[in-house]
Structure formats: C-alpha cells, structure tokens
Amino acid sequence: MRSSRSTSTRRSMRNAAVRVASMLSPRNRNHFKTFDTDETSAVISKPIVVAFSGIVPSDGVKKFIFDHGGDIMDSTDGVKNLPSITHLIVRSDDLKPRRIKFLVALCVIPENIVSYEWIERSEQSNALLPLDAFRINTNVNAETEYKFCLQHSISNAVTAL
C-alpha cells in the first residue's frame, strides 16, 4: 500500500507539469512540437536546448552540444524555463516519470525524449543523429511501479499538441 505522501507527491508533480504546459499558448506548443530535419544528414535547423534527467553529461558531450550551437538547460535554470528545451535525455534503464523535467517534456516535446546513447553516438559521429532509434517509448520498471503505459502517454501527448 502506498503512503499518502507518495500520492501527494504524484499530485503535486502532475499539477506542476500541467501549470507549465498551460503557460504555453497553442502557438508556442506547435513551435516545440516539430523540428525541421534533413533526414539524409540529420541536421536540425534550430539550435538544440538539451536537458538531462538523472544523468550528468560528460565533458565531451557538453562540448559537442556547445560546438553544434546547442545549449544545456541546467537544473538551476528553474521550472519556468523548461518549456524551452528541445530534447530531454534520460537514462533508459532508470526512467523516473515523476521528475518534473520528464513531465514537462511529455507535455511539450513528447517525441524528443531520448536515451543518453543518442547524444553519445552523435558525439562519436560528430553529427546529430536521427532520434528514431533512441526514443524512449517504454520502461517496464517505471510502468509497473507507477501503473501507466509510457507509449500510450506519449501518443496522447503527441495527439494533444
């Protein structure tokens, strides 16, 4: 049986994500939904703004992002700036769906929640790789613990945008 504190925490995290998402006008939401890419070279035409959840990026990864005109959203930047991220990078083996970064990303950029492997391989190839093979769309441990379906949640978020 779950404690009332965990239920309260879940409610407050969900409410925070809803508040952040509601700050975005429909016009702004569409701005974050898609990123123009050239599939052959996988060059993203807009600068990327990456947030990491549960991961500390290596110096090489940081340098790669900055060298490609991107930026890293630090946790000290605050929740109000989270809607400006273009990619959320998470540990695929340790997804924490209660984290505010994940909840906001689910509302704003559901198709751009990717594993750390994406940015590592992009760094190795010195180019931003397509996201398809690196999207996080399932996590059995988190789905069992929190009783939800990540793939269904992402599908609903994409439809809502």
Side-chain angles (χ1 to χ4, degrees), residues 39-125:
E39 290 301 324
T40 57
S41 63
V43 175
I44 296 175
S45 64
K46 296 179 184 180
I48 65 171
V49 180
V50 177
F52 293 89
S53 181
I55 301 172
V56 177
S58 69
D59 291 339
V61 164
K62 289 179 187 176
K63 182 180 180 329
F64 170 77
I65 292 169
F66 295 135
D67 288 351
H68 284 79
D71 198 8
I72 297 173
M73 170 124 345
D74 192 283
S75 59
T76 61
D77 290 334
V79 173
K80 67 180 179 183
N81 293 324
L82 278 175
S84 66
I85 64 173
T86 60
H87 296 77
L88 177 66
I89 299 176
V90 299
R91 285 182 49 192
S92 57
D93 63 334
D94 188 32
L95 180 65
K96 301 289 188 200
R98 290 177 39 195
R99 288 186 174 148
I100 190 70
K101 287 180 191 175
F102 178 81
L103 294 171
V104 171
L106 191 58
C107 293
V108 206
I109 52 160
E111 295 177 310
N112 292 355
I113 301 172
V114 295
S115 69
Y116 189 70
E117 187 180 6
W118 171 70
I119 200 69
E120 283 181 318
R121 287 203 185 164
S122 292
E123 176 195 10
Q124 291 167 358
S125 65

Side-chain angles (χ1 to χ4, degrees), residues 27-45:
R27 191 187 82 225
N28 288 341
R29 287 183 198 161
N30 289 336
H31 168 75
F32 293 113
K33 181 180 179 188
T34 58
F35 300 92
D36 301 325
T37 60
D38 175 347
E39 290 301 324
T40 57
S41 63
V43 175
I44 296 175
S45 64

Side-chain angles (χ1 to χ4, degrees), residues 2 95 97 138-150:
R2 292 198 171 138
L95 180 65
T138 188
N139 184 287
V140 175
N141 294 335
E143 290 174 291
T144 302
E145 182 177 352
Y146 298 107
K147 296 179 178 41
F148 79 110
C149 175
L150 182 57

